[in-house]
Amino acid sequence: MIYLDNASTTKPSQGARDAALAAFENFGNPSSLHRLGMDAEKIIRNTGDDIARVLGVDAKNIYFTSGGTESNNTAIFGYVRGNKKRGNHIITTAIEHPSVLEPFHILEKEGFEVTYLPVDKSGAINLDDLKNALRSDTILVSVMTVNNETGVIQPFEKLKEIMKGYSPKAALHCDGVQGFCKIDIKPKKCGIDMLSVSAHKIHGIKGTGALYIADGVHIAPIIAGGGQQKNIRSGTENVVGIAAFGGAVRSFKRISRNKRTELAEKLTQKIDNISINGEGLNSGYVLNVSFLGTKAEILLHSLEAKGIYVSSGSACSSNHPAPSHVLTAMGKTAEEIRGAIRVSFSDEDFDTDFVAETVKNEVDKIRKYVR
């Protein structure tokens, strides 16, 4: 098996597994005051330290959630609803993950004015568009660090400096799910007020995420209850998942962008009528390719039959097939969007020649039958 759908989810690392198994022994409730509770709380504290170390922030600013979706929802709903007296205008991009776009659509229905920034053909936003969109009543800007379908890095490091000149009171949220550990993200250095991350994108286990919230940023909680995590996120913490998150962070190995470049070159050499989508500055973890004259779903399953696992787009939308909003925003044609697959990498090695040759053979077969 050659697994190349790591932007969807990753295989849990040995470090994550070991940490999770050890956490099963610490079954106490982290809110309990006895030793078992304190042992569980220590696991949470240690993982907070691990995440904070990677981000260059203080561990007290890390809050644990059930994943990237909850982190994004907490940041967006929590900040906008908690600061609505400060303004009515919010900004995001046309290529965000659904867990960002849907909250913005909901807030738009609630009466907030939303600006959706476009992207160029490379898949990146233009900073001039942000400058033109910012207003005195803008209260939130949400721009992802790395796009989940193309791997294109957005200019997140430059956003806050521009915001200070046009909307100094606006907060900056970044969906860092596809960027955390894979590229350098330092919230304090570049002025990110809130950053969402997820464990299962870096070889942790599903159902665990975290949200960085800078000092002085007011969030109206979207989950109420026992007041855990300073009332930001009530509910008993997922100690096993959080332990695995810490193990994944500690054992994560960053890959070279050469792997993506190598496969892209071999596919281009072997197969006619293809296009590489997202040729801007790329994280190196995602390769999005359109094979004209094919259908992505057919190619996906034919590759699976050969033991190669890829994706036809964002896994969060895969159960409801629809044209990719990311590729649409990039100006891709209907045929390019129809034939686009996403290959996403981990530190596990694979034979790029075998993959490229197998893709060529399957594309050739499909093109004989698909108009």
Side-chain angles (χ1 to χ4, degrees), residues 16-258:
R17 295 180 193 182
D18 292 343
L21 288 173
F24 277 116
E25 302 301 319
N26 294 291
F27 59 86
N29 188 317
S31 295
S32 297
L33 297 179
H34 50 62
R35 181 180 59 80
L36 290 176
M38 289 187 286
D39 288 344
E41 196 276 333
K42 184 178 179 181
I43 291 173
I44 296 172
R45 189 169 62 249
N46 288 343
T47 296
D49 289 339
D50 293 326
I51 294 171
R53 194 176 304 113
V54 173
L55 297 176
V57 299
D58 297 322
K60 65 181 177 64
N61 298 107
I62 303 297
Y63 300 85
F64 290 101
T65 68
S66 64
T69 293
E70 186 189 331
S71 293
N72 284 334
N73 274 245
T74 299
I76 296 165
F77 285 130
Y79 187 83
V80 172
R81 290 171 177 167
N83 294 273
K84 57 185 178 182
K85 292 182 179 180
R86 301 175 66 184
N88 195 57
H89 181 234
I90 52 181
I91 299 172
T92 190
T93 82
I95 59 165
E96 296 297 313
H97 188 272
S99 62
V100 169
L101 287 177
E102 285 305 309
F104 271 84
H105 294 330
I106 291 170
L107 289 168
E108 197 168 13
K109 291 176 182 178
E110 291 180 6
F112 289 92
E113 189 174 349
V114 181
T115 297
Y116 298 94
L117 300 177
V119 294
D120 58 24
K121 292 181 179 180
S122 74
I125 63 168
N126 187 308
L127 294 176
D128 285 334
D129 288 331
L130 175 62
K131 291 178 184 177
N132 294 332
L134 289 167
R135 306 183 333 201
S136 60
D137 63 338
T138 302
I139 59 172
L140 178 69
V141 175
S142 181
V143 177
M144 62 190 356
T145 57
V146 176
N147 184 262
N148 53 297
E149 290 193 33
T150 64
V152 172
I153 301 173
Q154 300 303 312
F156 63 91
E157 294 178 320
K158 302 177 181 178
L159 302 177
K160 197 54 181 281
E161 197 59 39
I162 294 172
M163 291 166 60
K164 288 178 181 177
Y166 295 84
S167 305
K169 295 182 180 180
L172 173 61
H173 166 252
C174 290
D175 174 356
V177 167
Q178 294 291 345
F180 179 60
C181 286
K182 300 173 184 178
I183 64 171
D184 288 328
I185 305 173
K186 295 292 187 284
K188 283 189 174 182
K189 182 179 179 182
C190 54
I192 296 174
D193 296 296
M194 297 169 285
L195 179 78
S196 305
V197 299
S198 179
H200 76 105
K201 307 297 187 180
I202 61 161
H203 306 284
I205 59 178
K206 301 169 191 68
T208 313
L211 176 63
Y212 161 78
I213 305 175
D215 290 335
V217 175
H218 172 62
I219 291 282
I222 64 172
I223 297 178
Q228 289 89 344
Q229 301 193 75
K230 293 180 282 188
N231 271 320
I232 293 295
R233 203 275 190 181
S234 290
T236 302
E237 298 89 341
N238 175 6
V239 179
V240 172
I242 291 170
F245 199 172
V249 171
R250 292 189 297 273
S251 60
F252 187 84
K253 298 176 183 176
R254 193 177 290 187
I255 67 171
S256 166
R257 290 188 175 97
N258 293 339

